[in-house]
Short mmCIF file of all heavy atoms in Angstrom, two decimals:
data_model
loop_
_atom_site.label_atom_id
_atom_site.label_comp_id
_atom_site.label_asym_id
_atom_site.label_seq_id
_atom_site.Cartn_x
_atom_site.Cartn_y
_atom_site.Cartn_z
N MET A 1 -4.26 24.50 -3.10
CA MET A 1 -5.57 23.85 -3.17
C MET A 1 -6.04 23.54 -1.79
O MET A 1 -5.19 23.16 -0.95
CB MET A 1 -5.42 22.59 -3.97
CG MET A 1 -6.74 21.92 -4.33
SD MET A 1 -6.51 20.56 -5.51
CE MET A 1 -6.29 19.21 -4.34
N LYS A 2 -7.27 23.75 -1.50
CA LYS A 2 -7.83 23.39 -0.17
C LYS A 2 -8.87 22.30 -0.36
O LYS A 2 -9.54 22.20 -1.42
CB LYS A 2 -8.50 24.64 0.47
CG LYS A 2 -7.49 25.60 1.01
CD LYS A 2 -8.20 26.67 1.78
CE LYS A 2 -7.20 27.55 2.54
NZ LYS A 2 -7.87 28.68 3.13
N VAL A 3 -9.03 21.50 0.64
CA VAL A 3 -10.02 20.41 0.60
C VAL A 3 -10.93 20.42 1.78
O VAL A 3 -10.53 20.72 2.88
CB VAL A 3 -9.24 19.02 0.48
CG1 VAL A 3 -8.41 18.76 1.70
CG2 VAL A 3 -10.28 17.89 0.22
N SER A 4 -12.18 20.12 1.51
CA SER A 4 -13.13 19.97 2.60
C SER A 4 -14.19 18.91 2.23
O SER A 4 -14.32 18.49 1.07
CB SER A 4 -13.91 21.30 2.85
OG SER A 4 -14.52 21.72 1.74
N VAL A 5 -14.89 18.39 3.25
CA VAL A 5 -15.92 17.43 2.97
C VAL A 5 -17.27 18.04 3.33
O VAL A 5 -17.47 18.63 4.43
CB VAL A 5 -15.76 16.16 3.92
CG1 VAL A 5 -16.92 15.21 3.75
CG2 VAL A 5 -14.41 15.45 3.55
N ASP A 6 -18.19 17.97 2.38
CA ASP A 6 -19.57 18.42 2.67
C ASP A 6 -20.29 17.32 3.38
O ASP A 6 -20.70 16.31 2.85
CB ASP A 6 -20.25 18.68 1.31
CG ASP A 6 -21.69 19.14 1.47
OD1 ASP A 6 -22.26 19.09 2.57
OD2 ASP A 6 -22.30 19.58 0.44
N LYS A 7 -20.50 17.52 4.69
CA LYS A 7 -21.02 16.55 5.59
C LYS A 7 -22.49 16.21 5.22
O LYS A 7 -22.95 15.14 5.48
CB LYS A 7 -20.93 16.93 7.02
CG LYS A 7 -19.56 16.99 7.58
CD LYS A 7 -19.29 15.69 8.34
CE LYS A 7 -18.00 15.81 9.09
NZ LYS A 7 -17.69 14.56 9.80
N ASN A 8 -23.12 17.21 4.68
CA ASN A 8 -24.54 16.92 4.31
C ASN A 8 -24.66 16.01 3.09
O ASN A 8 -25.62 15.31 2.92
CB ASN A 8 -25.21 18.27 3.99
CG ASN A 8 -25.40 19.15 5.24
OD1 ASN A 8 -25.73 18.61 6.30
ND2 ASN A 8 -25.14 20.38 5.10
N ALA A 9 -23.64 16.09 2.27
CA ALA A 9 -23.67 15.26 1.04
C ALA A 9 -23.10 13.87 1.29
O ALA A 9 -23.53 12.87 0.70
CB ALA A 9 -22.92 15.96 -0.06
N CYS A 10 -22.09 13.78 2.13
CA CYS A 10 -21.35 12.49 2.40
C CYS A 10 -22.33 11.39 2.88
O CYS A 10 -23.13 11.65 3.77
CB CYS A 10 -20.30 12.71 3.49
SG CYS A 10 -19.41 11.20 3.92
N ILE A 11 -22.26 10.26 2.25
CA ILE A 11 -23.05 9.13 2.65
C ILE A 11 -22.21 8.05 3.43
O ILE A 11 -22.67 6.94 3.66
CB ILE A 11 -23.78 8.49 1.49
CG1 ILE A 11 -22.78 8.06 0.39
CG2 ILE A 11 -24.85 9.43 0.89
CD1 ILE A 11 -23.35 7.20 -0.74
N GLY A 12 -20.97 8.42 3.68
CA GLY A 12 -20.13 7.52 4.51
C GLY A 12 -19.64 6.30 3.78
O GLY A 12 -19.42 5.24 4.40
N CYS A 13 -19.46 6.36 2.46
CA CYS A 13 -19.07 5.18 1.75
C CYS A 13 -17.66 4.74 2.02
O CYS A 13 -17.25 3.61 1.86
CB CYS A 13 -19.29 5.32 0.24
SG CYS A 13 -17.92 6.12 -0.60
N GLY A 14 -16.81 5.69 2.43
CA GLY A 14 -15.44 5.38 2.87
C GLY A 14 -14.42 5.32 1.79
O GLY A 14 -13.26 5.08 2.02
N ALA A 15 -14.83 5.56 0.51
CA ALA A 15 -13.86 5.54 -0.58
C ALA A 15 -12.72 6.53 -0.41
O ALA A 15 -11.57 6.12 -0.65
CB ALA A 15 -14.59 5.80 -1.91
N CYS A 16 -13.01 7.71 0.07
CA CYS A 16 -11.90 8.71 0.17
C CYS A 16 -10.86 8.24 1.14
O CYS A 16 -9.67 8.37 0.89
CB CYS A 16 -12.51 10.03 0.58
SG CYS A 16 -13.54 9.95 2.10
N ALA A 17 -11.29 7.71 2.31
CA ALA A 17 -10.32 7.23 3.29
C ALA A 17 -9.54 6.06 2.78
O ALA A 17 -8.41 5.84 3.19
CB ALA A 17 -11.03 6.92 4.60
N ALA A 18 -10.14 5.26 1.92
CA ALA A 18 -9.47 4.08 1.34
C ALA A 18 -8.45 4.54 0.31
O ALA A 18 -7.25 4.05 0.24
CB ALA A 18 -10.44 3.10 0.77
N ILE A 19 -8.78 5.52 -0.54
CA ILE A 19 -7.94 5.98 -1.61
C ILE A 19 -6.80 6.85 -1.05
O ILE A 19 -5.70 6.77 -1.50
CB ILE A 19 -8.79 6.74 -2.65
CG1 ILE A 19 -9.74 5.82 -3.31
CG2 ILE A 19 -7.84 7.45 -3.69
CD1 ILE A 19 -10.78 6.58 -4.23
N CYS A 20 -7.09 7.70 -0.11
CA CYS A 20 -6.18 8.69 0.36
C CYS A 20 -6.24 8.85 1.89
O CYS A 20 -6.70 9.89 2.41
CB CYS A 20 -6.46 9.99 -0.33
SG CYS A 20 -5.30 11.30 -0.11
N PRO A 21 -5.77 7.86 2.64
CA PRO A 21 -5.86 7.89 4.07
C PRO A 21 -4.99 8.97 4.71
O PRO A 21 -5.16 9.30 5.89
CB PRO A 21 -5.39 6.48 4.47
CG PRO A 21 -4.60 6.01 3.31
CD PRO A 21 -5.21 6.58 2.12
N GLU A 22 -4.06 9.53 3.91
CA GLU A 22 -3.23 10.58 4.47
C GLU A 22 -4.07 11.83 4.72
O GLU A 22 -3.76 12.72 5.51
CB GLU A 22 -2.15 10.95 3.42
CG GLU A 22 -1.14 9.83 3.17
CD GLU A 22 -1.66 8.95 1.98
OE1 GLU A 22 -2.78 9.01 1.56
OE2 GLU A 22 -0.81 8.18 1.46
N TYR A 23 -5.16 12.05 4.01
CA TYR A 23 -5.97 13.26 4.11
C TYR A 23 -7.37 12.99 4.64
O TYR A 23 -7.93 13.98 5.22
CB TYR A 23 -6.13 13.89 2.68
CG TYR A 23 -4.88 14.69 2.39
CD1 TYR A 23 -3.76 14.05 1.88
CD2 TYR A 23 -4.88 16.09 2.65
CE1 TYR A 23 -2.57 14.80 1.63
CE2 TYR A 23 -3.71 16.78 2.35
CZ TYR A 23 -2.61 16.17 1.86
OH TYR A 23 -1.46 16.89 1.62
N PHE A 24 -7.87 11.80 4.54
CA PHE A 24 -9.28 11.60 4.96
C PHE A 24 -9.41 10.48 6.00
O PHE A 24 -8.75 9.53 5.97
CB PHE A 24 -10.20 11.22 3.74
CG PHE A 24 -10.15 12.23 2.64
CD1 PHE A 24 -9.30 12.06 1.56
CD2 PHE A 24 -10.94 13.35 2.72
CE1 PHE A 24 -9.29 13.02 0.53
CE2 PHE A 24 -10.92 14.32 1.73
CZ PHE A 24 -10.07 14.15 0.62
N GLU A 25 -10.32 10.66 6.93
CA GLU A 25 -10.59 9.64 7.95
C GLU A 25 -12.06 9.65 8.23
O GLU A 25 -12.77 10.65 7.97
CB GLU A 25 -9.76 9.89 9.23
CG GLU A 25 -10.24 11.19 9.91
CD GLU A 25 -9.27 11.56 11.11
OE1 GLU A 25 -8.37 10.75 11.41
OE2 GLU A 25 -9.48 12.63 11.66
N MET A 26 -12.56 8.49 8.68
CA MET A 26 -13.98 8.37 8.99
C MET A 26 -14.24 8.86 10.41
O MET A 26 -13.56 8.47 11.34
CB MET A 26 -14.44 6.96 8.80
CG MET A 26 -14.24 6.47 7.39
SD MET A 26 -14.84 7.50 6.06
CE MET A 26 -16.63 7.39 6.29
N GLY A 27 -15.25 9.74 10.60
CA GLY A 27 -15.53 10.24 11.93
C GLY A 27 -16.53 9.37 12.70
O GLY A 27 -17.03 8.41 12.10
N ASP A 28 -16.70 9.70 13.93
CA ASP A 28 -17.71 8.98 14.78
C ASP A 28 -19.12 9.05 14.19
O ASP A 28 -19.95 8.21 14.49
CB ASP A 28 -17.66 9.53 16.17
CG ASP A 28 -16.39 9.25 16.84
OD1 ASP A 28 -15.62 8.35 16.46
OD2 ASP A 28 -16.07 9.97 17.86
N ASP A 29 -19.34 10.11 13.42
CA ASP A 29 -20.66 10.25 12.75
C ASP A 29 -20.80 9.41 11.45
O ASP A 29 -21.79 9.55 10.74
CB ASP A 29 -20.94 11.70 12.46
CG ASP A 29 -19.88 12.35 11.60
OD1 ASP A 29 -18.94 11.62 11.19
OD2 ASP A 29 -20.02 13.56 11.31
N THR A 30 -19.83 8.54 11.24
CA THR A 30 -19.75 7.66 10.07
C THR A 30 -19.55 8.46 8.79
O THR A 30 -19.71 7.85 7.68
CB THR A 30 -20.93 6.66 9.91
OG1 THR A 30 -22.10 7.42 9.47
CG2 THR A 30 -21.24 5.96 11.20
N LYS A 31 -19.23 9.68 8.88
CA LYS A 31 -18.96 10.49 7.68
C LYS A 31 -17.46 10.86 7.62
O LYS A 31 -16.81 10.78 8.71
CB LYS A 31 -19.79 11.77 7.65
CG LYS A 31 -21.28 11.34 7.64
CD LYS A 31 -22.16 12.51 7.42
CE LYS A 31 -23.63 12.04 7.32
NZ LYS A 31 -24.54 13.02 6.67
N ALA A 32 -17.03 11.22 6.49
CA ALA A 32 -15.56 11.52 6.34
C ALA A 32 -15.25 12.89 6.92
O ALA A 32 -16.03 13.83 6.86
CB ALA A 32 -15.22 11.47 4.88
N ASP A 33 -14.02 12.94 7.40
CA ASP A 33 -13.44 14.23 7.82
C ASP A 33 -12.11 14.39 7.09
O ASP A 33 -11.36 13.42 6.85
CB ASP A 33 -13.14 14.23 9.36
CG ASP A 33 -14.35 14.39 10.17
OD1 ASP A 33 -15.11 15.38 9.88
OD2 ASP A 33 -14.54 13.58 11.07
N VAL A 34 -11.76 15.67 6.85
CA VAL A 34 -10.35 15.96 6.44
C VAL A 34 -9.52 15.88 7.72
O VAL A 34 -9.98 16.40 8.74
CB VAL A 34 -10.23 17.33 5.77
CG1 VAL A 34 -8.82 17.62 5.49
CG2 VAL A 34 -11.08 17.36 4.50
N LYS A 35 -8.42 15.16 7.67
CA LYS A 35 -7.62 15.02 8.88
C LYS A 35 -7.12 16.40 9.35
O LYS A 35 -6.91 17.36 8.52
CB LYS A 35 -6.41 14.14 8.58
CG LYS A 35 -6.77 12.67 8.49
CD LYS A 35 -5.55 11.78 8.48
CE LYS A 35 -5.89 10.32 8.71
NZ LYS A 35 -4.75 9.48 8.59
N LYS A 36 -6.93 16.53 10.63
CA LYS A 36 -6.48 17.77 11.27
C LYS A 36 -5.20 18.28 10.61
O LYS A 36 -4.23 17.53 10.40
CB LYS A 36 -6.21 17.54 12.74
CG LYS A 36 -7.36 17.94 13.60
CD LYS A 36 -6.93 18.34 15.02
CE LYS A 36 -8.04 19.07 15.74
NZ LYS A 36 -9.30 18.43 15.70
N GLY A 37 -5.21 19.54 10.20
CA GLY A 37 -4.03 20.13 9.60
C GLY A 37 -3.82 19.82 8.17
O GLY A 37 -2.79 20.23 7.60
N LYS A 38 -4.74 19.08 7.60
CA LYS A 38 -4.62 18.67 6.18
C LYS A 38 -5.50 19.41 5.22
O LYS A 38 -5.68 19.05 4.04
CB LYS A 38 -4.88 17.19 6.08
CG LYS A 38 -3.82 16.33 6.75
CD LYS A 38 -2.58 16.31 5.92
CE LYS A 38 -1.64 15.12 6.37
NZ LYS A 38 -0.49 15.03 5.47
N GLU A 39 -6.13 20.50 5.75
CA GLU A 39 -7.09 21.27 4.93
C GLU A 39 -6.44 21.91 3.72
O GLU A 39 -7.04 22.04 2.70
CB GLU A 39 -7.76 22.32 5.77
CG GLU A 39 -8.67 21.76 6.89
CD GLU A 39 -7.87 21.38 8.14
OE1 GLU A 39 -6.63 21.65 8.18
OE2 GLU A 39 -8.44 20.83 9.08
N LYS A 40 -5.14 22.23 3.88
CA LYS A 40 -4.44 22.81 2.73
C LYS A 40 -3.61 21.69 2.20
O LYS A 40 -2.78 21.05 2.87
CB LYS A 40 -3.49 23.94 3.26
CG LYS A 40 -3.02 24.80 2.13
CD LYS A 40 -2.28 26.05 2.61
CE LYS A 40 -1.80 26.95 1.56
NZ LYS A 40 -1.01 26.21 0.54
N VAL A 41 -3.78 21.37 0.90
CA VAL A 41 -3.21 20.24 0.21
C VAL A 41 -1.85 20.56 -0.25
O VAL A 41 -1.62 21.60 -0.97
CB VAL A 41 -4.07 19.74 -0.89
CG1 VAL A 41 -3.40 18.50 -1.59
CG2 VAL A 41 -5.47 19.40 -0.42
N ALA A 42 -0.84 19.80 0.12
CA ALA A 42 0.55 19.99 -0.38
C ALA A 42 0.55 19.71 -1.88
O ALA A 42 -0.18 18.87 -2.40
CB ALA A 42 1.50 19.03 0.32
N LYS A 43 1.31 20.47 -2.55
CA LYS A 43 1.41 20.37 -4.07
C LYS A 43 1.61 18.90 -4.50
O LYS A 43 0.96 18.44 -5.39
CB LYS A 43 2.57 21.20 -4.50
CG LYS A 43 2.50 21.61 -5.98
CD LYS A 43 1.85 22.97 -6.20
CE LYS A 43 1.42 23.21 -7.58
NZ LYS A 43 0.03 23.79 -7.71
N ALA A 44 2.48 18.23 -3.83
CA ALA A 44 2.77 16.83 -4.20
C ALA A 44 1.68 15.85 -3.96
O ALA A 44 1.69 14.76 -4.52
CB ALA A 44 4.04 16.39 -3.40
N ASP A 45 0.69 16.29 -3.15
CA ASP A 45 -0.43 15.41 -2.87
C ASP A 45 -1.69 15.67 -3.65
O ASP A 45 -2.67 14.93 -3.50
CB ASP A 45 -0.76 15.48 -1.36
CG ASP A 45 0.37 14.99 -0.47
OD1 ASP A 45 1.17 14.21 -0.94
OD2 ASP A 45 0.45 15.48 0.66
N GLU A 46 -1.65 16.68 -4.46
CA GLU A 46 -2.84 17.09 -5.17
C GLU A 46 -3.52 16.06 -6.02
O GLU A 46 -4.71 15.87 -6.05
CB GLU A 46 -2.54 18.36 -6.04
CG GLU A 46 -2.46 19.65 -5.16
CD GLU A 46 -2.35 20.90 -5.99
OE1 GLU A 46 -2.33 20.85 -7.21
OE2 GLU A 46 -2.29 22.03 -5.33
N LYS A 47 -2.70 15.25 -6.70
CA LYS A 47 -3.22 14.27 -7.62
C LYS A 47 -3.99 13.18 -6.82
O LYS A 47 -5.11 12.84 -7.17
CB LYS A 47 -2.02 13.54 -8.33
CG LYS A 47 -2.45 12.89 -9.57
CD LYS A 47 -1.20 12.47 -10.39
CE LYS A 47 -1.66 11.40 -11.32
NZ LYS A 47 -0.90 10.13 -11.26
N LYS A 48 -3.44 12.77 -5.69
CA LYS A 48 -4.08 11.77 -4.86
C LYS A 48 -5.40 12.31 -4.26
O LYS A 48 -6.37 11.59 -4.21
CB LYS A 48 -3.09 11.43 -3.71
CG LYS A 48 -3.37 10.10 -3.01
CD LYS A 48 -2.58 8.96 -3.66
CE LYS A 48 -3.07 7.62 -3.20
NZ LYS A 48 -2.36 7.11 -2.05
N VAL A 49 -5.40 13.51 -3.81
CA VAL A 49 -6.60 14.13 -3.22
C VAL A 49 -7.69 14.28 -4.35
O VAL A 49 -8.85 14.00 -4.08
CB VAL A 49 -6.27 15.46 -2.56
CG1 VAL A 49 -7.53 16.18 -2.09
CG2 VAL A 49 -5.36 15.20 -1.32
N LYS A 50 -7.27 14.69 -5.51
CA LYS A 50 -8.23 14.76 -6.64
C LYS A 50 -8.81 13.40 -6.97
O LYS A 50 -10.00 13.26 -7.27
CB LYS A 50 -7.55 15.35 -7.86
CG LYS A 50 -7.44 16.87 -7.81
CD LYS A 50 -6.82 17.42 -9.08
CE LYS A 50 -6.51 18.94 -8.93
NZ LYS A 50 -5.58 19.42 -9.85
N GLU A 51 -7.97 12.39 -6.91
CA GLU A 51 -8.42 11.07 -7.20
C GLU A 51 -9.50 10.66 -6.13
O GLU A 51 -10.51 10.05 -6.50
CB GLU A 51 -7.20 10.10 -6.95
CG GLU A 51 -7.13 8.94 -7.95
CD GLU A 51 -5.87 8.17 -7.71
OE1 GLU A 51 -4.73 8.58 -8.16
OE2 GLU A 51 -5.93 7.16 -6.98
N ALA A 52 -9.27 10.99 -4.92
CA ALA A 52 -10.27 10.71 -3.89
C ALA A 52 -11.57 11.45 -4.14
O ALA A 52 -12.63 10.91 -3.97
CB ALA A 52 -9.68 11.05 -2.46
N ALA A 53 -11.38 12.68 -4.53
CA ALA A 53 -12.59 13.52 -4.81
C ALA A 53 -13.38 12.90 -5.97
O ALA A 53 -14.66 12.80 -5.95
CB ALA A 53 -12.19 14.95 -5.17
N ASP A 54 -12.69 12.42 -7.00
CA ASP A 54 -13.30 11.82 -8.18
C ASP A 54 -13.99 10.52 -7.83
O ASP A 54 -14.93 10.08 -8.40
CB ASP A 54 -12.30 11.55 -9.26
CG ASP A 54 -11.84 12.80 -10.00
OD1 ASP A 54 -12.57 13.83 -9.82
OD2 ASP A 54 -10.82 12.83 -10.66
N GLY A 55 -13.42 9.83 -6.78
CA GLY A 55 -13.94 8.52 -6.41
C GLY A 55 -15.15 8.62 -5.48
O GLY A 55 -15.81 7.56 -5.24
N CYS A 56 -15.43 9.78 -5.01
CA CYS A 56 -16.63 9.95 -4.15
C CYS A 56 -17.91 9.86 -4.99
O CYS A 56 -18.10 10.68 -5.89
CB CYS A 56 -16.61 11.29 -3.38
SG CYS A 56 -18.04 11.58 -2.39
N PRO A 57 -18.79 8.93 -4.65
CA PRO A 57 -20.03 8.74 -5.52
C PRO A 57 -21.03 9.89 -5.45
O PRO A 57 -21.87 10.01 -6.30
CB PRO A 57 -20.64 7.45 -4.93
CG PRO A 57 -20.11 7.35 -3.57
CD PRO A 57 -18.75 7.98 -3.58
N VAL A 58 -20.90 10.75 -4.44
CA VAL A 58 -21.88 11.80 -4.30
C VAL A 58 -21.23 13.21 -4.36
O VAL A 58 -21.84 14.24 -4.01
CB VAL A 58 -22.71 11.69 -2.99
CG1 VAL A 58 -23.61 10.47 -3.01
CG2 VAL A 58 -21.79 11.65 -1.74
N ASN A 59 -19.95 13.21 -4.84
CA ASN A 59 -19.28 14.47 -4.98
C ASN A 59 -19.23 15.36 -3.71
O ASN A 59 -19.49 16.56 -3.77
CB ASN A 59 -19.80 15.32 -6.12
CG ASN A 59 -19.46 14.68 -7.48
OD1 ASN A 59 -18.37 14.19 -7.69
ND2 ASN A 59 -20.45 14.68 -8.38
N ALA A 60 -19.00 14.72 -2.58
CA ALA A 60 -19.03 15.44 -1.31
C ALA A 60 -17.68 16.10 -0.97
O ALA A 60 -17.57 16.87 -0.03
CB ALA A 60 -19.37 14.51 -0.21
N ILE A 61 -16.65 15.79 -1.74
CA ILE A 61 -15.30 16.36 -1.46
C ILE A 61 -15.15 17.60 -2.32
O ILE A 61 -15.19 17.54 -3.57
CB ILE A 61 -14.21 15.36 -1.75
CG1 ILE A 61 -14.39 14.13 -0.83
CG2 ILE A 61 -12.82 15.91 -1.56
CD1 ILE A 61 -13.52 12.95 -1.16
N LYS A 62 -14.97 18.69 -1.63
CA LYS A 62 -14.86 20.00 -2.31
C LYS A 62 -13.37 20.41 -2.39
O LYS A 62 -12.67 20.45 -1.37
CB LYS A 62 -15.69 21.04 -1.63
CG LYS A 62 -17.13 20.64 -1.42
CD LYS A 62 -17.85 20.52 -2.73
CE LYS A 62 -19.25 20.07 -2.52
NZ LYS A 62 -19.88 19.44 -3.75
N LEU A 63 -12.97 20.85 -3.56
CA LEU A 63 -11.61 21.35 -3.80
C LEU A 63 -11.70 22.78 -4.20
O LEU A 63 -12.51 23.15 -4.97
CB LEU A 63 -10.91 20.54 -4.88
CG LEU A 63 -10.85 19.02 -4.68
CD1 LEU A 63 -10.29 18.36 -5.93
CD2 LEU A 63 -10.01 18.65 -3.46
N GLN A 64 -10.83 23.57 -3.60
CA GLN A 64 -10.84 25.04 -3.95
C GLN A 64 -9.45 25.52 -4.28
O GLN A 64 -8.53 25.12 -3.59
CB GLN A 64 -11.37 25.85 -2.80
CG GLN A 64 -12.87 25.69 -2.60
CD GLN A 64 -13.33 26.40 -1.30
OE1 GLN A 64 -12.72 26.20 -0.26
NE2 GLN A 64 -14.32 27.26 -1.46
FE1 F3S B 1 -18.22 10.41 2.14
FE2 F3S B 1 -17.55 10.53 -0.39
FE3 F3S B 1 -15.75 9.94 1.37
S1 F3S B 1 -19.43 9.67 0.46
S2 F3S B 1 -16.89 8.87 3.01
S3 F3S B 1 -16.83 11.88 1.20
S4 F3S B 1 -15.97 9.05 -0.63
#
């Protein structure tokens, strides 16, 4: 599974970084970024990353 943040959709609410700080951080643009090297989600972390995606109020977190 791969994860990315749609910067156009993100409103900077910060929920993803709160739920799953291992994968998401807030950028200088006040929007979320996937942390460097974390674009490919480890099998063991999929649940947590999905939780963060579900917690995003504008569905800006894309899973593939
Ligand atoms: Fe943005 Fe959604 Fe995270 S609005 S800060 S991607 S929870």
Side-chain angles (χ1 to χ4, degrees):
M1 191 173 89
K2 283 189 175 173
V3 63
S4 60
V5 173
D6 179 351
K7 289 264 190 182
N8 292 320
C10 175
I11 55 169
C13 86
C16 54
I19 293 169
C20 189
E22 300 89 344
Y23 279 81
F24 303 97
E25 64 190 354
M26 302 310 291
D28 293 339
D29 57 1
T30 74
K31 298 187 177 199
D33 284 310
V34 175
K35 284 191 170 176
K36 264 207 164 50
K38 293 286 196 173
E39 295 82 4
K40 196 171 180 309
V41 180
K43 202 92 196 136
D45 296 334
E46 286 189 356
K47 202 169 160 236
K48 199 94 194 266
V49 172
K50 277 183 189 161
E51 217 175 280
D54 287 345
C56 176
V58 293
N59 290 321
I61 298 171
K62 305 297 176 198
L63 304 174
Q64 287 175 309

